[in-house]
Amino acid sequence: MRILIAAAGSRGDVAPYTGLGAALRHAGHDVTLATTDAFAPLARDAGLAFRSLPADPRGHGAVTDKRELMRSAAAFIAELGQGFADAMTEGTDLLLLSTTTAPLGWHLAEATGTPTLGAYLQPTAPTGDFPPVVTGSRSLGRTANRLAGRFALHMTDRLYAQAAARLRRRLQLPPLSAARTRRRQERADWPVLHGFSTALVPRPSDWRPGLKVVGNWWPHHEATERLPAPVEDFLDAGPRPVLIGFGSMAGGHGERLSDLAVRALRRAGLRGILQTGSAGLAADGDDLLTVGDLPHALLFPRLAAVVHHAGAGTTAAALRAGVPAVPVPVTADQPFWAERLAALGAATEPIPFGSLTAERLADALDRVVGRQTYARAAATAARHMATEDGAGDVLKTVERLTGS
């Protein structure tokens, strides 16, 4: 089968699909990843064909204000919609759509008759179990959680309205609002597989039947890949270090965060690895190491703890490694994942990014490294995650849908 996976956003919104795509390719399918140009190397390293989506997510990671985040998202979606149709070529047998691309991909599917399957990294369907992941709020009660979930979808439809309308005109489809398109998908029980662990988010019992939680899809890395020699040397030179990194978040805060991180590590008496990321973290010293992008699956099991922004991918990777965390959520769905980690007992209470100080971070590191309860909770979750086969479940669903 010729499968096109369409995903867009930050690195964490794209990288998991490289592992999923590689699994589908190993099963004999012809897989293309359509995403923004910045992530073309990720697709090609996984052995996937690449197709460009015409938007630039860079800079969005620096946005923390909610209104500005909405404006930034609207601009990104407008860019994405303008050339989305170009990514779809004749002969695609199945279109896999992420949370970000689904509201555009539905129109492509209608125009071409191509079957589609949702492959989401976040739980977006309303439920009484928890409030919308984008609000960052604690539970409002079952009825209010569901109402808030519907409102969040309404706001999403508003974000996509103009881009969807332009796309339908280009595809010569009759007018249909973004909200009506979504309701049509829901009535048809459009299948969505969610690539996160039930250790973090058990499947809500009030979801419609077509919504499944299958387990994580992990970013691809070669089985022969090893950590660079300087990293191995540092890991072997003393007690397990703590990794501090904010992924694609916190751009422009590098100098302040680097200083804060070093002071917190010294105060807690811990060795540290600073991951550069978009913030540009860096530090020098015998007890410190600065690194760029490294496979989480190779590095995280060697750590004492991880301080991270609580993006879905980093949250899952730390948990998979059985390593406790100090979550410092910045924006969007990160407070949701941070709260989930803390509720499991595998992380300290989240420290909101705007409230982060060296003293608060040092105190959290003292607790998360010094008390074994956090590590035990993370190890329990890791054992649960090891029983899940997210990519395998997608493969089974694909073959069931297509009869292949």
Side-chain angles (χ1 to χ4, degrees):
M1 287 181 58
R2 290 161 296 187
I3 300 173
L4 179 67
I5 303 173
S10 69
R11 185 185 182 94
D13 296 313
V14 175
Y17 297 102
T18 62
L20 175 58
L24 293 169
R25 182 174 62 82
H26 290 149
H29 300 294
D30 180 3
V31 184
T32 298
L33 179 61
T35 188
T36 47
D37 289 342
F39 305 118
L42 295 184
R44 293 177 178 133
D45 288 348
L48 309 178
F50 169 75
R51 204 163 294 155
S52 177
L53 290 181
D56 185 358
R58 286 174 298 184
H60 300 302
V63 176
T64 56
D65 177 77
K66 288 192 175 181
R67 288 185 180 179
E68 183 58 34
L69 182 67
M70 292 290 281
R71 284 193 290 269
S72 178
F76 178 68
I77 289 162
E79 292 174 15
L80 194 62
Q82 284 174 12
F84 198 83
D86 295 333
M88 186 81 168
T89 58
E90 290 185 15
T92 298
D93 299 311
L94 180 66
L95 183 58
L96 264 58
L97 298 170
S98 72
T99 314
T100 311
T101 60
L104 298 171
W106 294 331
H107 308 289
L108 277 181
E110 181 183 342
T112 61
T114 305
T116 61
L117 175 65
Y120 286 11
L121 299 177
Q122 298 87 12
T124 61
T127 174
D129 288 5
F130 45 80
V133 298
V134 293
T135 64
S137 62
R138 295 182 183 272
S139 180
L140 309 168
R142 295 195 64 83
T143 300
N145 283 345
R146 278 191 289 267
L147 287 172
R150 295 307 307 178
F151 180 73
L153 290 183
H154 169 71
M155 295 303 294
T156 299
D157 293 337
R158 287 185 60 183
L159 281 175
Y160 280 88
Q162 290 187 359
R166 282 195 294 266
L167 182 58
R168 289 187 72 83
R169 286 195 296 271
R170 178 173 174 185
L171 296 170
Q172 299 182 326
L173 293 171
L176 187 67
S177 72
R180 286 184 62 197
T181 303
R182 181 185 300 280
R183 287 196 294 271
R184 185 167 67 179
Q185 298 298 116
E186 291 172 352
R187 285 195 300 271
D189 197 27
W190 183 60
V192 180
L193 304 181
H194 294 83
F196 48 77
S197 176
T198 54
L200 275 170
V201 185
R203 183 189 181 278
S205 59
D206 56 356
W207 271 5
R208 58 183 175 82
L211 304 176
K212 311 291 184 187
V213 179
V214 298
N216 288 87
W217 309 309
W218 303 107
H220 172 77
H221 69 87
E222 294 295 337
T224 55
E225 191 171 358
R226 297 291 180 266
L227 292 171
V231 178
E232 286 285 359
D233 291 344
F234 183 79
L235 291 168
D236 290 339
R240 289 188 173 212
V242 170
L243 177 80
I244 299 178
F246 295 91
S248 60
M249 296 290 111
H253 294 268
E255 187 173 340
R256 180 181 72 84
L257 288 175
S258 299
D259 176 67
L260 185 155
V262 171
R263 286 191 290 122
L265 288 165
R266 298 261 163 83
R267 186 171 178 141
L270 297 167
R271 303 167 74 229
I273 298 177
L274 272 60
Q275 190 163 37
T276 304
S278 293
L281 298 185
D284 295 315
D286 292 341
D287 57 346
L288 297 166
L289 180 70
T290 300
V291 300
D293 288 327
L294 293 172
H296 290 163
L298 299 182
L299 178 60
F300 282 13
R302 313 278 296 277
L303 303 173
V306 183
V307 178
H308 61 74
H309 60 296
T314 311
T315 294
L319 209 54
R320 179 196 197 190
V323 176
V326 177
V328 184
V330 181
T331 189
D333 60 337
Q334 294 156 20
F336 172 82
W337 297 112
E339 291 286 353
R340 288 273 149 175
L341 269 183
L344 274 181
T348 61
E349 283 297 310
I351 305 173
F353 179 75
S355 304
L356 184 64
T357 64
E359 292 73 24
R360 289 191 71 177
L361 181 55
D363 181 58
L365 285 171
D366 273 335
R367 293 199 310 276
V368 82
V369 175
R371 299 179 189 173
Q372 286 303 302
T373 52
Y374 293 105
R376 282 197 292 268
T380 298
R383 288 192 292 272
H384 177 103
M385 294 170 86
T387 68
E388 298 172 325
D389 181 11
D393 277 10
V394 175
L395 179 60
K396 289 176 189 174
T397 303
V398 165
E399 293 175 345
R400 191 166 58 246
L401 278 175
T402 59
S404 60

